[in-house]
């Protein structure tokens, strides 16, 4: 099979592919978008990818629930490199494959190396970023977490046991706020509610540990 002549995006569930064969492709819920992701957490015009001199840049289109690359919120045009993971509203995960690059292993098969999230959360709690679900021992949390709760948990899990500061939490959960108008009480309330939700799945373990004067960290059972 010949190498692709243009870059592409690959949906990490269902193995759907979109060639990036235009100077601008739009991503969103609207049927008018080039890449349609039909979910209510996705804005009608959520993000776009521009092609400039053979390079590709992703931009968030003032979406409600954000666009992320490798877990970092997109707040300005960001150049994509081969293998980057794009998360749309923390609901859909897409892999960027550059022109001429070898595509990743079939996404219908498990990869040999676990993802960052899989390494960080074994053996107990599991995150599925595609569905934005949380499960313990195969039991999914129902109803699912709110966007803010999931963003907080996602940031803590990705830190792999390191302390996440309050400033980092604001950046991860409220990227559009830029630290303005987010009080310590709001953060504490969000942490408290997330703990309550996780206790619905496992009341025996405290997954979120407060490190006084520093922030919070994620702790999975041994």
């Amino acid at each position: 099979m010949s190498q692709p002549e243009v870059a592409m995006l690959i949906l990490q569930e269902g193995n759907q592919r979109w060639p990036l064969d235009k100077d601008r492709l739009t991503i969103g819920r609207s049927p008018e978008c080039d890449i349609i992701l039909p979910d209510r957490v996705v804005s009608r015009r959520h993000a776009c990818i521009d092609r400039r001199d053979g390079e590709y840049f992703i931009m968030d289109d003032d979406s409600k629930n954000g666009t992320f690359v490798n877990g970092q919120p997109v707040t300005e045009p960001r150049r994509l490199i081969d293998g980057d993971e794009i998360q749309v509203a923390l609901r859909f995960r897409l892999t960027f494959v550059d022109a001429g690059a070898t595509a990743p292993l079939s996404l219908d098969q498990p990869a040999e190396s676990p993802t960052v999230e899989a390494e960080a959360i074994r053996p107990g709690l599991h995150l599925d970023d595609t569905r934005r679900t949380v499960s313990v021992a195969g039991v999914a949390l129902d109803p699912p977490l709110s966007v803010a709760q999931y963003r907080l948990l996602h940031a803590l899990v990705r830190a792999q046991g390191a302390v996440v500061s309050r400033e980092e939490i604001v950046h991860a959960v409220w990227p559009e706020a830029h630290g303005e108008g987010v009080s310590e009480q709001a953060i504490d309330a969000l942490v408290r509610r997330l703990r309550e939700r996780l206790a619905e799945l496992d009341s025996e373990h405290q997954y979120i540990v407060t490190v006084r004067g520093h922030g919070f960290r994620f702790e999975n059972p041994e």
Side-chain angles (χ1 to χ4, degrees):
M1 182 176 179
S2 61
Q3 299 286 358
E5 296 180 356
V6 297
M8 66 174 61
L9 290 182
I10 302 177
L11 183 66
Q12 293 190 20
E13 179 158 312
N15 205 18
Q16 189 171 355
R17 299 166 182 243
W18 294 274
L20 304 181
D21 53 2
K22 297 167 57 177
D23 288 337
R24 167 165 289 196
L25 283 94
T26 55
I27 303 171
R29 193 177 75 245
S30 170
E32 298 177 355
C33 289
D34 299 297
I35 298 174
I36 303 170
L37 301 175
D39 191 290
R40 61 184 178 83
V41 301
V42 178
S43 299
R44 289 183 61 80
R45 286 284 300 267
H46 197 101
C48 64
I49 295 178
D50 282 356
R51 180 173 57 186
R52 309 174 191 168
D53 298 324
E55 295 184 327
Y56 295 84
F57 296 80
I58 187 166
M59 296 170 288
D60 185 76
D61 200 3
D62 294 325
S63 67
K64 180 179 179 181
N65 293 318
T67 304
F68 304 80
V69 174
N70 302 328
Q72 299 299 314
V74 175
T75 57
E76 58 186 19
R78 172 165 176 162
R79 184 172 69 89
L80 296 170
I81 61 175
D82 185 57
D84 275 348
E85 179 183 277
I86 300 169
Q87 296 172 305
V88 178
L90 296 179
R91 170 66 177 83
F92 294 94
R93 289 191 298 173
L94 306 102
T95 299
F96 173 75
V97 180
D98 206 353
T102 301
L105 294 172
S106 170
L107 296 175
D108 292 330
Q109 301 295 327
E112 293 183 3
S113 299
T115 63
V116 172
E117 288 81 4
E119 292 175 344
I121 61 177
R122 69 172 185 264
L125 184 145
H126 175 71
L127 296 184
D128 184 334
D129 285 338
T130 301
R131 296 185 177 89
R132 196 166 57 82
T133 58
V134 180
S135 60
V136 173
V139 178
L141 187 61
D142 186 28
L145 297 177
S146 69
V147 171
Q149 291 165 1
Y150 192 89
R151 285 177 174 175
L152 171 58
L153 182 58
H154 187 272
L156 292 169
V157 168
R158 285 188 66 89
Q160 303 188 54
V163 175
V164 180
S165 69
R166 289 176 177 270
E167 291 77 13
E168 290 170 325
I169 288 174
V170 171
H171 185 67
V173 178
W174 298 281
E176 66 284 352
H178 304 294
E180 299 178 1
V182 180
S183 65
E184 291 195 1
Q185 290 79 8
I187 296 172
D188 290 338
L190 180 62
V191 170
R192 182 173 62 252
R193 181 55 179 153
L194 178 56
R195 282 175 172 153
E196 292 172 352
R197 294 303 319 277
L198 295 181
E200 295 174 22
L201 287 175
D202 182 0
S203 60
E204 301 298 319
H205 182 73
Q206 183 70 273
Y207 287 93
I208 303 174
V209 177
T210 300
V211 182
R212 294 193 181 279
H214 297 280
F216 304 89
R217 63 181 176 86
F218 179 83
E219 185 177 278
N220 232 358
E222 297 293 338

